[in-house]
């Protein structure tokens, strides 16, 4: 008798590698080459989208979510030929497995970012805001789930669906929020601190609720299964706390600052993460919970945590995590949202999620006496979701708690709420509204106009520890006669904020007191802070170490804002080239050059660019041993007068010898055209000021034998080079960036650094034999330098 039973034939499993196209194999029919193609496609698309969204200051997670949706059945996947060739159903198991491995290690990094000690110190106000940000949207999420169950989600298991919806509504993505706050420079403001603390509490509560939802969704045969899952989950957390916490503490104790972390410790920790993921998956929760718990238990102090992040972050966030979004996008089909009812439910879900999170946070914030603007900002910040909600939704989809249409609606809700966070916060909490210093309060913007008896404030910036000895020796030379509190220096460590979690880890280590992050009162093992604190104790200089963590594209904003808030008279920037062992200068990073350009154009005070050739030696020189000779090459103009004013201030130091060489140029007829006569009509006032300044300086020579003044009449660029070479054995050259009477460049074809000006470019030229450091000074003027603006535009267009 014939059987009418339809037999479903499973597609054959894919082999790992092919024999090659020349032997008749199609690479897309084999697992490894197909996976490589999928990874490359995901990376290219998400990176292009991230670049396009960068002007909107959107976190990269937005680009990755959109990229996943574009690759899935919603857009490109509507072409079945493409979908079956690039993302066939039989390849999705391999893709999902690899994506979930990346997710496991990413959740481990998220746990590393959380500090249990800070959570234990959470105040009542933060706790109240966090609880409001959980309970109100959680309740509204459960209410909305009843509407969905009666419409598009009929037949789903009730209790797990209710909890999944409540968690999806109430969660705040801690990593995404940290990235948004860092991008907007709010991470260490009051509102940023409150948002981060509340989000951390919110995250922990959400993971606990999600574990409950997963346990309920696992109860396939008996209600006791859910109880056993929860009981074993609690047992795992307790066991991990008792076993791994002391083990990680021992590892951290065995790793010393400044030394590489042993490979055994790294491998053992990563192996423990996978083992913890296996245990929690076997319990029936999810493998990511075990990884998250272990990340929380790793000590945050010391090099162990930072080293783990550096070893794992680039591979996970750069390669594996985008695969998770692609995998999620393949499950998202926006086309399932059809009809007026479905789109109405999407609007309802978005409105309810935003209303619960924003209004609940605002009401409790106002009850805790948080100002209105900060309360609104806090509400919208807490509304960011992104990756964490996507994880919740994917777990719900895999557990068949969410159907295709509900899943698509919730993904769009997560995308909308995260996308709106940055622009809305920028409107509500503009940087200009946060600046409390008015122009009337900020008077001393140049050194030339500062009274000798008043305090000189300098913002000294540096990129790495290599700059510290020269910076400290320059500060020592700048203290003048050593009058108490005559010099105040803000030492600003410029640190790049990247897409890495390690950058956020650095932010957590910085003390939260203003913008940029000011390490006030730190007494830890940070050798940078220790160096400046030691110098401050041995001198009469007030040195305040600071750390600016920002993207290179807007690092100049931090520098200029810091100079304005601290009322600095001069910003000192490191040159983008450093000295090699053989004495030649090589480029550190070209990006730093554009930071200097932008500071020169936007600075609220005078600016000096320091070409570091180890001023005073490679180590800090004690005050009694300072013996430096400074040379000022003076042509004329406001930049030269500013350089001279700074040099005169330095010459008050008993160990400083100052030589001022005034160069007057008389143009030759014919030959090289490197210099021209000054225009008598337009520069008369400037020349009178030059004469007045030099006259005052000459009067000081009789009272101070360490001062020297010479005048030289030169006729061409060759003689200028000869005079500069004559004084090349000094410790420091101080020159103006744009002296009057000098055409740029002094030597034809030799100036590739317009930020240094013609004389500064000459002093760093490889043709000039000198070991002297160079400080090129630009005096503050109410108009930005036009030559740098033109140069930056031309360079940017190339």
């Amino acid at each position: 008798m014939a059987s009418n039973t339809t037999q479903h034939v499973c597609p054959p499993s894919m082999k790992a590698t092919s024999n090659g196209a020349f032997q008749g194999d199609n690479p897309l029919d084999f697992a490894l080459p197909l996976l490589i193609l999928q990874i490359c496609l995901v990376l290219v698309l998400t990176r292009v989208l991230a670049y396009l969204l960068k002007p909107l200051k959107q976190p990269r997670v937005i680009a990755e979510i959109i990229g996943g949706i574009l690759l899935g059945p919603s857009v490109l996947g509507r072409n079945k030929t493409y979908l079956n060739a690039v993302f066939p159903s039989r390849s999705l198991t391999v893709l999902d497995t690899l994506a979930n491995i990346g997710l496991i290690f990413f959740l481990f990094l998220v746990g590393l970012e959380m500090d249990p000690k800070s959570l234990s110190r959470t105040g009542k106000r933060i706790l109240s805001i966090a609880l409001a940000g959980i309970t109100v949207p959680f309740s509204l999420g459960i209410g909305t789930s009843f509407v969905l169950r009666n419409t598009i989600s009929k037949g789903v298991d009730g209790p797990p669906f209710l909890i999944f919806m409540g968690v999806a509504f109430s969660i705040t993505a801690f990593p995404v929020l940290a990235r948004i706050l860092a991008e907007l420079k709010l991470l260490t403001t009051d509102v940023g601190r409150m948002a981060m603390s509340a989000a951390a509490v919110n995250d922990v509560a959400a993971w606990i609720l999600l574990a409950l939802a997963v346990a309920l969704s696992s109860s396939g045969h008996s209600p006791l299964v859910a109880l056993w899952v929860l009981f074993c989950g609690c047992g795992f957390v307790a066991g991990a706390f008792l076993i791994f916490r002391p083990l990680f503490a021992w590892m951290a104790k065995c790793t010393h600052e400044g030394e590489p972390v042993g490979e055994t410790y790294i491998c053992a920790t990563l192996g423990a993460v996978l083992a913890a993921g296996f245990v929690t998956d076997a319990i029936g929760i999810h493998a990511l919970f075990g990884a998250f718990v272990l990340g929380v238990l790793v000590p945050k102090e010391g090099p162990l945590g930072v080293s783990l992040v550096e070893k794992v972050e680039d591979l996970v966030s750069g390669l594996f995590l985008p695969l998770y979004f692609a995998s999620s996008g393949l499950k998202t089909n926006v086309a399932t949202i059809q009809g007026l009812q479905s789109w109405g439910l999407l609007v309802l879900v978005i409105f309810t999620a935003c209303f619960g999170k924003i209004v609940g946070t605002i009401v409790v914030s106002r009850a805790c006496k948080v100002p209105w603007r900060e309360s609104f900002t806090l509400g919208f910040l807490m509304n960011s979701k992104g990756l964490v909600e996507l994880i919740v939704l994917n777990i719900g989809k895999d557990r068949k708690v969410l159907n295709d249409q509900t899943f698509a609606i919730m993904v769009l809700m997560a995308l909308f709420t995260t996308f709106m966070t940055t622009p809305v916060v920028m409107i509500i909490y503009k940087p200009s509204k946060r600046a409390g210093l008015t122009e009337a309060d900020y008077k001393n913007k140049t050194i030339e106009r500062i009274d000798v008896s008043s305090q000189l404030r300098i913002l000294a910036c540096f990129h790495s520890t290599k700059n510290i000895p020269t910076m400290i020796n320059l500060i020592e030379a700048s203290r003048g006669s050593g009058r108490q509190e005559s010099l105040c220096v803000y030492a600003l460590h410029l640190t790049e904020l990247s897409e890495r979690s390690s950058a956020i880890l650095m932010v957590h280590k910085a003390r939260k007191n203003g913008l940029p992050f000011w390490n006030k009162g730190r007494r830890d093992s940070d050798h940078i802070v220790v160096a400046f604190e030691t110098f401050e104790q041995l001198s009469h200089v007030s040195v305040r170490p600071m750390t600016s963590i920002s993207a290179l594209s807007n690092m100049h904003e931090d520098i200029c804002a810091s100079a304005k808030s601290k009322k600095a008279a001069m910003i000192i920037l490191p040159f983008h080239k450093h000295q090699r062992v053989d004495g030649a200068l090589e480029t550190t990073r070209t990006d730093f050059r554009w930071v200097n350009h932008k500071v020169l154009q936007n600075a609220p005070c005078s600016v000096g660019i320091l070409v570091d050739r180890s001023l005073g030696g490679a180590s800090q020189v004690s005050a009694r041993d300072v013996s430096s000779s400074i040379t000022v090459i003076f042509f004329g103009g406001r930049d030269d007068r500013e350089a001279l004013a700074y040099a005169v201030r330095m010459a008050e130091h008993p160990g400083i010898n100052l030589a001022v060489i005034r160069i007057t140029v008389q143009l030759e007829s014919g030959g090289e055209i490197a210099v021209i006569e000054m225009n008598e009509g337009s520069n008369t006032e400037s020349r009178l000021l030059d004469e007045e300044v030099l006259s005052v300086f000459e009067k000081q020579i009789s009272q101070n034998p360490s001062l020297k003044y010479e005048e030289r009449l030169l006729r061409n660029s060759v003689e200028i080079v000869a005079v500069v070479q004559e004084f090349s054995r000094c410790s420091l050259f101080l020159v103006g960036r744009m002296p009057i009477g000098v055409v740029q460049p002094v030597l034809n074809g030799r100036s590739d650094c317009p930020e240094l000006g013609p004389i500064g470019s000459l002093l760093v030229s490889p043709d000039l034999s000198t070991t002297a450091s160079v400080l090129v000074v630009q005096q503050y003027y109410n108009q930005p330098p036009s030559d740098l603006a033109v140069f930056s535009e031309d360079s940017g267009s190339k």
Side-chain angles (χ1 to χ4, degrees):
M1 182 176 179
S3 175
N4 295 326
T5 304
T6 303
Q7 294 183 355
H8 297 279
V9 179
C10 296
S13 59
M14 301 179 74
K15 293 182 179 180
T17 58
S18 70
N19 294 320
F22 291 108
Q23 298 190 39
D25 285 348
N26 183 359
L28 298 183
D29 292 335
F30 296 84
L32 181 61
L34 181 59
L35 181 63
I36 293 173
L37 176 64
Q38 293 170 345
I39 293 174
C40 293
L41 184 62
V42 170
L43 291 181
V44 170
L45 182 59
T46 55
R47 291 293 176 169
V48 170
L49 290 172
Y51 177 80
L52 295 176
L53 292 173
K54 192 173 182 180
L56 300 178
K57 296 184 180 296
Q58 292 293 333
R60 199 170 71 189
V61 64
I62 292 292
E64 291 170 335
I65 293 176
I66 295 176
I69 294 176
L70 292 178
L71 290 173
S74 301
V75 183
L76 296 177
R78 298 175 73 89
N79 185 331
K80 299 302 180 183
T81 304
Y82 150 83
L83 193 63
N84 293 329
V86 181
F87 291 101
S89 57
R90 57 180 177 168
S91 72
L92 297 185
T93 302
V94 177
L95 182 65
D96 286 346
T97 302
L98 194 61
N100 277 278
I101 289 176
L103 183 65
I104 288 172
F105 283 108
F106 179 77
L107 263 294
F108 172 68
L109 296 177
V110 172
L112 271 174
E113 291 181 357
M114 285 195 175
D115 188 0
K117 293 181 181 178
S118 63
L119 288 178
S120 64
R121 294 192 296 266
T122 301
K124 292 182 179 179
R125 183 171 68 168
I126 301 298
L127 191 60
S128 301
I129 294 173
L131 290 177
I134 296 173
T135 54
V136 177
F138 188 86
S139 302
L140 292 178
I142 291 178
T144 306
S145 66
F146 284 104
V147 178
L148 295 176
R149 284 192 67 197
N150 292 327
T151 52
I152 63 174
S153 298
K154 294 179 180 180
V156 297
D157 195 5
F161 182 72
L162 298 181
I163 298 180
F164 267 108
M165 293 297 295
V167 172
F169 273 59
S170 60
I171 203 165
T172 298
F174 180 83
V176 176
L177 177 62
R179 177 62 50 192
I180 292 174
L181 289 171
E183 187 70 31
L184 297 178
K185 303 184 186 303
L186 294 175
L187 200 49
T188 55
T189 59
D190 288 338
V191 68
R193 289 198 298 270
M194 287 189 291
M196 285 296 288
S197 300
V201 176
N202 187 304
D203 237 18
V204 173
W207 290 122
I208 295 173
L209 291 172
L210 181 58
L212 176 62
V214 172
L216 291 175
S217 65
S218 302
S219 56
H221 302 286
S222 170
L224 292 177
V225 174
L227 185 62
W228 276 110
V229 170
L230 287 176
F231 179 76
C232 292
C234 294
F236 167 79
V237 173
F241 186 85
L242 294 175
I243 297 173
F244 287 105
R245 187 169 180 267
L247 182 61
F248 288 146
W250 175 78
M251 290 183 183
K253 187 178 180 180
C254 294
T255 55
H256 303 288
E257 197 76 41
E259 297 181 3
V261 179
E263 182 184 359
T264 303
Y265 298 150
I266 300 294
C267 292
T269 303
L270 299 182
V273 171
L274 293 175
F278 174 82
V279 172
T280 51
D281 188 80
I283 290 173
I285 304 178
H286 196 285
L288 61 85
F289 287 99
F292 176 76
V293 170
L294 256 64
V296 173
L297 295 178
V298 174
K300 304 304 181 285
E301 300 298 329
L304 179 61
V306 175
S307 182
L308 285 168
V309 171
E310 291 176 348
K311 300 288 186 183
V312 178
E313 173 64 18
D314 288 336
L315 184 64
V316 171
S317 292
L319 188 64
F320 287 150
L321 202 57
L323 295 183
Y324 187 77
F325 292 101
S327 175
S328 302
L330 293 172
K331 302 173 186 176
T332 306
N333 191 356
V334 179
T336 58
I337 307 176
Q338 296 178 348
L340 185 62
Q341 182 190 62
S342 296
W343 288 104
L345 290 173
L346 173 62
V347 174
L348 174 66
V349 167
I350 293 175
F351 174 79
T352 308
C354 294
F355 181 85
K357 201 72 168 179
I358 296 172
V359 174
T361 303
I362 291 174
V363 171
V364 176
S365 299
R366 286 297 301 152
C368 296
K369 299 181 180 180
V370 177
W372 274 110
R373 187 156 58 92
E374 282 75 5
S375 297
F376 273 95
T377 304
L378 198 58
F380 281 97
L381 286 172
M382 295 293 290
N383 194 41
S384 60
K385 294 179 175 18
L387 171 64
V388 183
E389 182 173 358
L390 203 61
I391 295 173
V392 175
L393 298 178
N394 272 285
I395 295 175
K397 184 78 164 59
D398 294 338
R399 303 272 174 162
K400 302 187 183 305
V401 176
L402 305 177
N403 59 25
D404 292 342
Q405 192 171 356
T406 307
F407 181 80
I409 287 176
M410 297 301 292
V411 169
L412 291 181
M413 182 268 285
L415 184 63
F416 179 83
T417 53
T418 307
F419 189 91
M420 67 180 285
T421 301
T422 300
V424 172
V425 170
M426 290 179 67
I427 294 172
I428 298 175
Y429 210 69
K430 290 182 179 179
S432 58
K433 295 181 180 180
R434 304 198 300 266
L437 185 66
T438 62
E439 289 294 328
D441 299 325
Y442 189 13
K443 297 178 180 178
N444 296 328
K445 299 182 178 183
T446 64
I447 297 178
E448 183 184 7
R449 297 183 180 88
I450 295 181
D451 187 355
V452 179
S453 61
S454 62
Q455 186 186 61
L456 172 62
R457 294 189 173 194
I458 294 177
L459 180 70
C461 305
F462 59 97
H463 297 136
S464 66
T465 55
K466 294 179 181 179
N467 308 130
I468 293 180
T470 293
M471 193 63 68
I472 289 181
N473 291 330
L474 181 64
I475 294 171
E476 170 59 32
S478 303
R479 70 180 178 89
S481 60
R483 297 185 306 273
Q484 189 70 26
E485 298 298 328
S486 64
L487 175 65
C488 180
V489 177
Y490 297 92
L492 182 60
H493 186 191
L494 303 176
T495 305
E496 180 185 5
L497 176 68
S498 65
E499 290 287 346
R500 303 170 54 135
S501 295
S502 56
I504 303 299
L505 211 60
M506 288 190 297
V507 169
H508 287 316
K509 289 188 175 183
R511 294 297 294 234
K512 301 174 177 63
N513 185 21
L515 177 67
F517 318 129
W518 189 0
N519 302 332
K520 182 180 180 182
R522 287 185 68 179
R523 290 297 183 272
D524 55 13
S525 58
D526 192 331
H527 50 283
I528 293 177
V529 177
V530 171
F532 284 111
E533 287 179 346
T534 303
F535 171 73
E536 183 178 20
Q537 294 174 2
L538 298 176
S539 65
H540 297 284
V541 180
S542 176
V543 182
R544 300 180 181 180
M546 303 164 63
T547 301
S548 167
I549 305 177
S550 57
L552 286 174
S553 59
N554 54 23
M555 186 175 285
H556 68 284
E557 296 176 3
D558 275 0
I559 297 172
C560 295
S562 298
K564 186 174 182 180
S565 64
K566 307 306 179 187
K567 302 181 184 179
M570 177 174 283
I571 301 170
I572 297 179
L573 301 169
F575 190 45
H576 70 279
K577 295 182 179 181
H578 71 276
Q579 189 177 31
R580 297 190 312 220
V581 178
D582 60 0
L585 295 173
E586 67 176 2
T587 301
T588 306
R589 283 187 62 178
T590 308
D591 294 338
F592 290 139
R593 181 182 188 181
W594 309 128
V595 173
N596 292 352
H597 275 239
K598 292 175 183 178
V599 173
L600 287 168
Q601 294 174 27
N602 300 283
C605 60
S606 296
V607 180
I609 297 182
L610 178 62
V611 182
D612 184 2
R613 288 195 179 110
S614 299
L615 174 65
S619 59
Q620 180 189 339
V621 180
S622 60
R624 63 180 180 275
D625 295 330
V626 170
S627 179
S628 301
S629 56
I630 299 174
T631 300
V632 176
I633 307 295
F634 191 94
F635 284 87
R638 58 174 175 264
D639 290 352
D640 281 23
R641 291 195 300 272
E642 185 76 357
L644 178 59
Y646 188 23
V648 170
R649 189 109 182 189
M650 297 172 71
E652 295 178 6
H653 193 290
I656 301 295
N657 295 310
L658 173 62
V660 177
I661 313 301
R662 184 186 186 185
I663 296 179
T664 305
V665 179
Q666 182 177 356
L667 183 63
E668 281 187 336
S669 58
E672 299 180 347
I673 300 179
V675 289
I676 61 172
E677 291 286 2
M678 291 190 300
N679 187 307
E680 295 290 341
S682 61
N683 293 294
T684 302
E685 182 180 355
S686 180
R687 294 185 67 181
L688 291 175
L689 290 173
D690 293 343
E691 296 295 339
E692 181 182 346
V693 168
L694 291 172
S695 176
V696 173
F697 178 74
E698 286 186 84
K699 292 178 182 179
Q700 296 177 353
I701 295 178
S702 58
Q703 303 173 0
N704 190 346
S706 64
L707 303 181
K708 180 182 178 182
Y709 177 74
E710 292 186 24
E711 291 187 359
R712 300 289 182 94
L713 178 63
L714 307 178
R715 287 181 289 274
N716 53 48
S717 59
V718 176
E719 294 183 357
I720 294 177
V721 175
V723 170
V724 172
Q725 188 69 60
E726 181 182 340
F727 292 89
S728 62
R729 294 190 176 183
C730 66
S731 304
L732 175 68
F733 277 108
L734 261 169
V735 297
R737 194 181 78 83
M738 290 300 295
I740 289 181
V742 179
V743 174
Q744 191 171 175
V746 170
L747 301 176
N748 292 331
R750 301 285 182 88
S751 178
D752 60 345
C753 301
E755 67 271 27
L756 297 183
I759 304 302
S761 296
L762 170 64
L763 291 170
V764 300
S765 171
D767 297 334
L768 189 70
S769 177
T770 179
T771 58
S773 296
V774 182
L775 184 63
V776 181
V777 177
Q778 173 184 282
Q779 188 178 68
Y780 171 76
Y781 191 57
N782 54 12
Q783 294 180 357
S786 57
D787 62 315
L788 285 179
V790 173
F791 182 81
S792 296
E793 291 173 3
D794 293 343
S795 301
S797 63
K798 292 181 180 180

